[in-house]
Amino acid sequence: MGHIAVYFLFGESEESAKPIVYIGQTEDVRKRLDNHNSKKHFWKTAVLVVSRIQTFTQAHIRYLEWHCLRMAKETGRFAIDNDVQPGKPFVTEPMEADLLDIFDTLNVLVSTVGYPVFEPLVSKSTNTESFFLKTNECDAEGNFVEDGFVVRAGAIARKEITPSGIDLIEPVRTLLIESGVLIDQGANLRFTQDYLFNSPSRAAIVVLGRRANGWTEWKDALGRSLDEVYRADGDA
């Protein structure tokens, strides 16, 4: 496994509110993974991207590493374990065009194996309907997506947690605050970035500070609940 490659290490940590990725490049995959295995403990899966006909050069993998890191930060789905963001390496315009094509293929392949690290939380190419959750103490907007519910950056969450919801909500909020997704503004909490919850109810619970059914709490601009919009035809 001495191939020159771009690689991704995927895993999770109890200290991170998001799944984690490390993005790197190497001329000796075996040696680099052995090194990471002894020094990085979060990762469980490695995804390697190599040239089938072995045409990758140092310029190829350095550019792909730089571009992958930039795009992963832009989408924000994963917490990035890299300590340093490399500078953009010089490549000719024709080579850059080829590399962007390679990245598009890489994106599809990595997503296909279950790691959509470059896919936006809310697709800009589709007209994704917004849903809202507003009370005297919270004001949030979100989108129902294929893999959960995204609360949008700037959403205001109720700071106080009801006694019956403390065990459920406090650990999640603590993790979000420690990860920088939520900030304490004194009177309330604010989302600093888009954040994907695994369900509408999970999102509603964190925003409202109490137990809640997200399918009935989130409403569109016409006042229709998620349940009415997406389950009106009887589908689960």
Side-chain angles (χ1 to χ4, degrees):
M1 291 184 68
H3 288 296
I4 189 167
V6 176
Y7 64 93
F8 305 83
L9 306 180
F10 293 104
E12 296 181 349
S13 168
E14 293 182 356
E15 298 175 356
S16 175
K18 299 179 181 180
I20 304 172
V21 63
Y22 178 90
I23 301 172
Q25 50 85 12
T26 181
E27 295 182 69
D28 189 335
V29 170
R30 169 77 69 180
K31 182 177 180 180
R32 183 62 60 88
L33 291 184
D34 284 345
N35 180 267
H36 286 318
N37 196 41
S38 64
K39 295 182 179 180
K40 293 185 179 294
H41 305 294
F42 75 88
W43 67 282
K44 295 182 179 179
T45 302
V47 176
L48 313 177
V49 180
V50 301
S51 169
R52 181 173 57 84
I53 55 176
Q54 300 186 26
T55 56
F56 278 176
T57 65
Q58 259 199 355
H60 285 89
I61 61 173
R62 287 178 59 214
Y63 181 93
L64 287 172
E65 176 193 38
W66 168 80
H67 189 65
C68 286
L69 278 167
R70 186 170 69 91
M71 296 304 295
K73 287 181 178 180
E74 184 175 310
T75 56
R77 272 185 178 266
F78 285 68
I80 298 173
D81 189 66
N82 298 64
D83 293 326
V84 178
Q85 167 72 54
K88 181 181 180 180
F90 172 78
V91 295
T92 63
E93 286 190 19
M95 179 182 283
E96 184 169 33
D98 289 341
L99 286 166
L100 292 176
D101 284 341
I102 292 171
F103 172 79
D104 288 341
T105 302
L106 176 159
N107 179 16
V108 172
L109 293 175
V110 173
S111 296
T112 300
V113 297
Y115 299 100
V117 63
F118 306 115
E119 296 296 322
L121 290 172
V122 179
S123 176
K124 297 177 181 178
S125 62
T126 58
N127 184 22
T128 305
E129 187 171 3
S130 291
F131 288 81
F132 306 90
L133 207 170
K134 296 185 179 183
T135 71
N136 291 334
E137 298 174 283
C138 62
D139 186 354
E141 178 181 348
N143 302 97
F144 184 58
V145 295
E146 184 177 351
D147 43 358
F149 192 90
V150 177
V151 175
R152 305 308 297 264
I156 300 299
R158 178 175 181 260
K159 185 174 182 178
E160 184 181 354
I161 302 174
T162 59
S164 63
I166 287 179
D167 291 344
L168 177 65
I169 302 167
E170 192 168 46
V172 180
R173 281 191 171 178
T174 298
L175 192 58
L176 291 174
I177 290 171
E178 290 176 349
S179 299
V181 176
L182 276 178
I183 59 172
D184 188 336
Q185 297 192 140
N188 51 45
L189 303 173
R190 181 172 64 84
F191 282 78
T192 64
Q193 57 192 266
D194 293 352
Y195 186 77
L196 175 66
F197 290 92
N198 60 14
S199 73
S201 292
R202 187 79 160 177
I205 285 167
V206 171
V207 171
L208 290 168
R210 60 171 170 78
R211 293 179 180 273
N213 180 351
W215 286 96
T216 58
E217 297 282 359
W218 292 99
K219 304 286 181 66
D220 69 7
L222 298 177
R224 300 176 301 172
S225 68
L226 269 172
D227 187 79
E228 291 175 290
V229 174
Y230 288 101
R231 291 177 168 177
D233 58 359
D235 292 339

